[in-house]
Amino acid sequence: MNFELTEAQQQVGRNAQTFARSHLDAMALDLDRCGVFPKGIIDELAGHDFLGLLVPMASGGVGAGFINHIQVVEAFSRSCPAIASILNNHALAAHAVAQWGSDAQKQHYLPPLAKGRKLGTLAIYEDGPSPGIGPDPLLALRQGGGFTLTGTKAFVRNAGVADLYVTFATLEPTAKEPRLTAFLVDADTSGLTIGPGLDTMGLKGCPVAQLFFQAAALGPDALLGEENGGSAIATRLLSLGSLAEAAQTVGIGWAAVKHAAEFATRRVQFGHPIATLQAIQTLLAEAATDCHLAWLGIQRAAQLVEDGAPFEIHAAMVKAFVGRFGSRTLIDAIQVEGGLGISESKPFGVGGTMPLARLFRDMAGTTLLDAPADFPAKLIAESIV
Amino acid sequence: MDLESPAQQAVRSAAKEFVANNIITRASEFDKSGEFHLYLLDAAKASRIFAMAVPKEYGGLGYDALTQALVLEEWGYGCAGMGTTLAASVLSIEAVLIAGNDEQRRRFFAPMLNGEIGAFGLTEPEAGSDVGAGTTTAVREGEGYRINGAKCWITNGGVASVYVIFAQTDVKKGTKGLSAFIVERDRPGFIIGDKEHKLGLRSSNTVYFEFKDVQVPAANRLGQEGDGMKIAMKTLDTARPAIAALAVGLAQRCLDECVGQLHRRFPDRPFPGQTLQFKLADMQIQVEAARQVVRHTMMLRDAGLPFARESAISKTLGTDVAMTVSSEAVRLMGSGGYTSELGKFMRDAKVMQIYEGTNQIQRLVISRALLAPTAGAAPLPKGVAS
Ligand SMILES: Cc1cc2nc3c(=O)[nH]c(=O)nc-3n(C[C@H](O)[C@H](O)[C@H](O)COP(=O)(O)OP(=O)(O)OC[C@H]3O[C@@H](n4cnc5c(N)ncnc54)[C@H](O)[C@@H]3O)c2cc1C
């Protein structure tokens, strides 16, 4: 196989790096401090065509592939992982419409999603072992040709700021193996309310909250794909999401390794820069190795996505791998910087703000396992047993 | 548990109760605000727990090392930030126990008996692991010394009443020119600077301070001129397992919180799948191992046996375990963990791998004891004591 990117793909990657440096570096700290969704940046992202990457050209998007998507997520994560996360949630929602939507749904949603006039996100998780079987599942009822939704979705990202929630509900809870059904839910649907933003450790500015549905009425045109066809959609979106989160892990990891390496060349103890110590070199080398190998795996899986080949096992393996090293990268990078590494502000004698504490918190929010279905080992084992 | 004496059990259960009533209830609030938990000094006043390391003959509680570890483990279970305030105060007490004469002890311990706290100031901007690189000086002048310089990252630095400070009395001699002094907070020229905003242990007060021509009498010098390095290292030997005890408490708390979250979210499934079950088991294995190493270290110390190697091992193991267990806990509990107090424990644990000597410095000590047990065979970098 060929890992070389086309000139067009490389160009998107370079654009993302330039945008990250010119727009995201400067805002990352303030966003972390205030934690308020940065509305202004959405226009900027749209203006630079980052919001329509996964939307076909015919629908007003860029029609780029998944490789470009992970490049952008990785590049943004080096500067401001919260923005990468906001973008990824949006892109996956747009992808869902592009992939499974009817012509009418595509026409209605995709142009504004591509141009940033609408922001999208996914609502998959519930507060139970898996959607449909917890204490307060989101249930759908057929009603007068359309549907009504009642129940709760948990841990929805971009909650309260999205215009479109690609929402998964259970239509036939008493079926022997209940499956999910996907709906396109507008934020202004009556009967839908958004819970208070949860207090997250990192990725501040990307709001996380519950969605409460009380007999929220949807027309027949809100159905995405087929009735009871949502589980397959959710699985695919979660697999794509795993790859994007892995790209986010790698981006945060590289940012940390590079900062720590640069710090180590300047910090002198025992008469020498600490970068000359093997103990420090080992910490940096192991983190760099993890990031590099993960990136190869991510690229390979993204290529499979673009080829239309099965990629879910690859995505699960990538998820399992980044889960093992993600937080460790930040644990070790901070260790290299010693006391200064844990500073959340501008410590004495240091010109600027130290970023690793923020990246540590962002990383913790990037490698979470959100449902037992997320445990990648199960999928991987099933593929080899 | 049965291995603890009845007296130790009584201390432990009193500490547990104190932590439940005074620490667990407010830890999150002070983590958010980052303010120093001043209320805690009042709450602890009656029990005189801040004097737990002060010997009975000086009016303190006179707890042995193992008993102190039991208390610190409970405090770490509640909040490692608040526990750090206690541990750092004990650290300053230990320095005076190691090197102070009778008069100095009485003077230094008096505030502790009254619910006040102490601090231990060794680190400087250019002298972190490399303790000998410090440039704070104490120049002999008549009946006393004049101190000039700066210290950074000092726990309790803005809230203590008495300090043990290290300064060069003979700069040319490097670590051999280091001396230790008692410095009272109200001495003119002792300027307390900004406090650090930290990833973790947020309510623990960590500050930068300066000495501008601070005069101290010769009676404030601990030991002889040039004893500073020895005093610092001996003191840190006693303090490292104390940090490990906090870390063990923190790690056990993470586990208990995980179990609580699982049972709340899945009330009808007492056992999650084996993947998660075994992860929890692995975490408990590590925590229990770390706990026993800490206790063993304390028992060596109480028996008057050498414990420097065990001290380094327990600090490294305890804080590494706390880091691993807390970050696994956040990851395994998913968004529920990430939006709960588990995130705080993970942030707190990270800081603990760095202070009281980084875990790299501990590994230097441990590997030297392994590779070259005879002194001097494999020299450590200047300034790292065994
Ligand atoms: C919250 C907090 C509270 C603190 N409280 C106190 C206090 O009360 N009193 C006090 O005196 N100090 C205190 N400190 C300071 C603390 O002890 C130092 O931060 C610590 O010793 C490390 O020094 P440094 O931060 O300068 O890191 P550096 O020494 O600059 O180390 C940077 C990195 O290099 C590594 N390194 C350095 N030398 C070697 C070597 N020879 N071999 C291998 N690796 C090496 C370190 O492990 C680290 O990873 C506190 C620090 C913190 C963060």
Side-chain angles (χ1 to χ4, degrees):
Chain A
M1 72 164 293
N2 186 1
F3 271 13
E4 287 307 310
L5 300 178
T6 65
E7 176 49 34
Q9 285 171 328
Q10 290 179 32
Q11 189 56 47
V12 172
R14 283 193 294 269
N15 290 349
Q17 285 162 15
T18 309
F19 183 85
R21 279 194 296 268
S22 61
H23 289 73
L24 303 184
D25 276 350
M27 67 178 289
L29 175 69
D30 282 343
L31 184 59
D32 182 59
R33 289 270 164 80
C34 76
V36 177
F37 173 72
K39 244 194 173 106
I41 198 72
I42 298 302
D43 288 339
E44 297 280 357
L45 288 168
H48 288 77
D49 265 344
F50 290 119
L51 294 182
L53 277 181
L54 296 184
V55 175
M57 283 202 259
S59 303
V62 177
F66 202 70
I67 289 181
N68 274 160
H69 180 63
I70 57 160
Q71 280 180 302
V72 172
V73 169
E74 197 264 357
F76 284 12
S77 299
R78 291 186 188 222
S79 299
C80 184
I83 299 294
S85 183
I86 292 168
L87 171 105
N88 180 47
N89 303 327
H90 168 83
L92 292 178
H95 171 73
V97 177
Q99 188 79 15
W100 294 284
S102 65
D103 285 345
Q105 287 170 329
K106 289 186 202 169
Q107 251 169 34
H108 180 69
Y109 286 108
L110 288 181
L113 286 172
K115 294 288 176 232
R117 290 195 300 277
K118 274 188 199 294
L119 194 69
T121 198
L122 307 177
I124 299 179
Y125 297 115
E126 292 176 2
D127 205 8
S130 60
I133 61 173
D136 187 16
L138 182 65
L139 300 178
L141 280 179
R142 294 187 191 86
Q143 200 155 60
F147 304 88
T148 59
L149 302 187
T150 300
T152 304
K153 298 307 279 187
F155 306 125
V156 177
R157 299 180 180 212
N158 291 4
V161 297
D163 306 282
L164 168 67
Y165 296 93
V166 177
T167 304
F168 294 80
T170 305
L171 187 57
E172 287 157 12
T174 54
K176 216 165 99 216
E177 274 183 50
R179 281 171 299 158
L180 297 170
T181 301
F183 297 95
L184 300 179
V185 178
D186 294 322
D188 58 6
T189 302
S190 78
L192 165 62
T193 50
I194 316 288
L198 295 174
D199 187 7
T200 60
M201 182 177 168
L203 301 175
K204 305 253 187 197
C206 173
V208 181
Q210 288 173 298
L211 303 188
F212 302 111
F213 293 84
Q214 267 184 317
L218 303 176
D221 51 349
L223 179 68
L224 180 70
E226 318 238 300
E227 287 187 7
N228 297 316
S231 293
I233 298 177
T235 302
R236 186 181 159 91
L237 290 172
L238 286 175
S239 288
L240 292 172
S242 298
L243 289 178
E245 279 158 20
Q248 193 166 313
T249 306
V250 169
I252 299 172
W254 272 125
V257 171
K258 296 207 156 159
H259 194 275
E262 212 256 316
F263 179 94
T265 59
R266 279 183 287 116
R267 176 66 173 167
V268 172
Q269 287 287 275
F270 303 105
H272 302 283
I274 58 168
T276 59
L277 294 165
Q278 276 187 3
I280 297 295
Q281 291 171 1
T282 304
L283 293 179
L284 295 171
E286 285 183 358
T289 304
D290 286 334
C291 289
H292 175 71
L293 292 182
W295 187 241
L296 292 182
I298 296 165
Q299 280 189 311
R300 168 80 175 125
Q303 184 65 56
L304 293 173
V305 173
E306 293 212 355
D307 294 347
F311 71 98
E312 285 78 3
I313 305 297
H314 289 76
M317 288 176 167
V318 162
K319 185 178 180 93
F321 184 56
V322 300
R324 269 191 267 161
F325 79 81
S327 279
R328 194 177 58 227
T329 301
L330 261 297
I331 289 166
D332 288 349
I334 289 183
Q335 192 69 20
V336 168
E337 301 193 0
L340 291 174
I342 59 131
S343 176
E344 293 267 17
S345 59
K346 296 182 185 161
F348 60 85
V350 176
T353 302
M354 302 297 285
L356 293 193
R358 168 174 60 85
L359 292 175
F360 177 95
R361 293 184 285 99
D362 289 346
M363 182 66 100
T366 302
T367 53
L368 302 174
L369 293 169
D370 249 318
D374 268 13
F375 277 97
K378 184 162 184 290
L379 193 62
I380 300 166
E382 279 166 5
S383 78
I384 51 180
V385 171
Chain B
M1 292 304 122
D2 297 333
L3 297 177
E4 294 164 16
S5 71
Q8 286 165 338
Q9 282 177 28
V11 170
R12 170 196 273 286
S13 51
K16 207 189 249 325
E17 196 186 319
F18 179 81
V19 167
N21 294 334
N22 297 286
I23 292 188
I24 292 184
T25 42
R26 303 193 66 183
S28 182
E29 169 194 341
F30 281 87
D31 174 60
K32 285 209 178 74
S33 74
E35 291 302 316
F36 179 67
H37 36 257
L38 199 59
Y39 81 94
L40 196 60
L41 302 190
D42 280 338
K45 200 165 176 174
S47 71
R48 293 189 302 143
I49 201 71
F50 279 98
M52 73 175 174
V54 175
K56 285 204 172 108
E57 68 241 55
Y58 294 99
L61 298 178
Y63 289 172
D64 59 19
L66 179 56
T67 308
Q68 291 182 34
L70 299 177
V71 172
L72 287 163
E73 189 182 328
E74 294 300 334
W75 279 52
Y77 190 91
C79 173
M82 301 192 186
T84 291
T85 304
L86 174 58
S89 189
V90 168
L91 175 69
S92 72
I93 293 172
E94 295 286 2
V96 175
L97 279 174
I98 285 167
N101 58 34
D102 192 61
E103 181 277 327
Q104 288 170 330
R105 290 180 180 186
R106 280 183 204 290
R107 215 156 26 99
F108 195 87
F109 297 156
M112 316 296 166
L113 301 174
N114 196 29
E116 293 172 39
I117 56 179
F120 178 91
L122 180 62
T123 304
E124 297 183 18
E126 302 309 321
S129 301
D130 184 4
V131 172
T135 56
T136 297
T137 54
V139 176
R140 185 85 205 208
E141 263 188 7
E143 286 307 288
Y145 291 87
R146 183 155 49 95
I147 304 181
N148 276 292
K151 295 280 166 186
C152 61
W153 295 104
I154 307 306
T155 303
N156 297 346
V159 290
S161 0
V162 277
Y163 298 72
V164 173
I165 297 295
F166 294 83
Q168 300 281 354
T169 40
D170 189 345
V171 195
K172 290 190 298 292
K173 289 195 182 152
T175 52
K176 293 209 170 75
L178 206 60
S179 303
F181 297 89
I182 294 173
V183 179
E184 298 83 356
R185 181 198 170 93
D186 47 15
R187 295 220 170 247
F190 186 175
I191 302 158
I192 294 177
D194 290 340
K195 102 180 167 192
E196 300 293 341
H197 298 279
K198 307 187 297 299
L199 171 66
L201 308 181
R202 284 187 176 161
S203 69
S204 162
N205 176 269
T206 318
V207 305
Y208 174 88
F209 52 67
E210 285 176 1
F211 302 100
K212 289 200 173 139
D213 291 325
V214 175
Q215 310 275 352
V216 295
N220 277 25
R221 193 191 63 229
L222 294 167
Q224 301 304 313
E225 281 192 10
D227 282 354
M229 187 68 184
K230 228 169 43 203
I231 297 170
M233 292 306 137
K234 270 191 151 171
T235 308
L236 289 170
D237 278 347
T238 68
R240 285 169 179 152
I243 297 305
L246 290 177
V248 166
L250 180 153
Q252 185 65 54
R253 176 76 181 283
C254 288
L255 269 169
D256 293 355
E257 292 290 327
C258 278
V259 172
Q261 284 197 18
L262 285 172
H263 287 170
R264 256 196 317 281
R265 285 185 74 184
F266 316 127
D268 45 359
R269 294 208 319 174
F271 289 93
Q274 280 193 346
T275 307
L276 198 47
Q277 270 185 52
F278 284 27
K279 289 230 186 258
L280 293 173
D282 282 340
M283 288 150 81
Q284 186 65 77
I285 290 167
Q286 295 178 61
V287 177
E288 194 55 42
R291 174 180 288 130
Q292 297 312 329
V293 170
V294 174
R295 293 190 182 180
H296 176 66
T297 307
M298 295 309 204
M299 282 153 73
L300 287 175
R301 185 182 158 199
D302 285 332
L305 296 167
F307 64 98
R309 186 184 75 113
E310 286 74 8
S311 163
I313 291 176
S314 55
K315 198 270 172 173
T316 312
L317 180 65
T319 55
D320 283 358
V321 163
M323 189 71 256
T324 310
V325 167
S326 59
S327 49
E328 275 294 273
V330 168
R331 193 168 78 93
L332 295 173
M333 294 301 110
S335 295
Y338 169 69
T339 54
S340 75
E341 224 183 334
L342 285 175
K344 170 187 183 288
F345 305 139
M346 185 178 171
R347 291 187 281 101
D348 288 349
K350 180 58 244 178
V351 183
M352 304 176 84
Q353 294 181 304
I354 294 169
Y355 69 175
E356 304 262 340
T358 68
N359 288 5
Q360 281 69 34
I361 296 300
Q362 309 307 321
R363 286 184 170 90
L364 281 180
V365 172
I366 298 161
S367 59
R368 187 172 78 156
L370 182 67
L371 295 168
T374 45
L380 288 171
K382 222 171 63 186
V384 176
S386 57

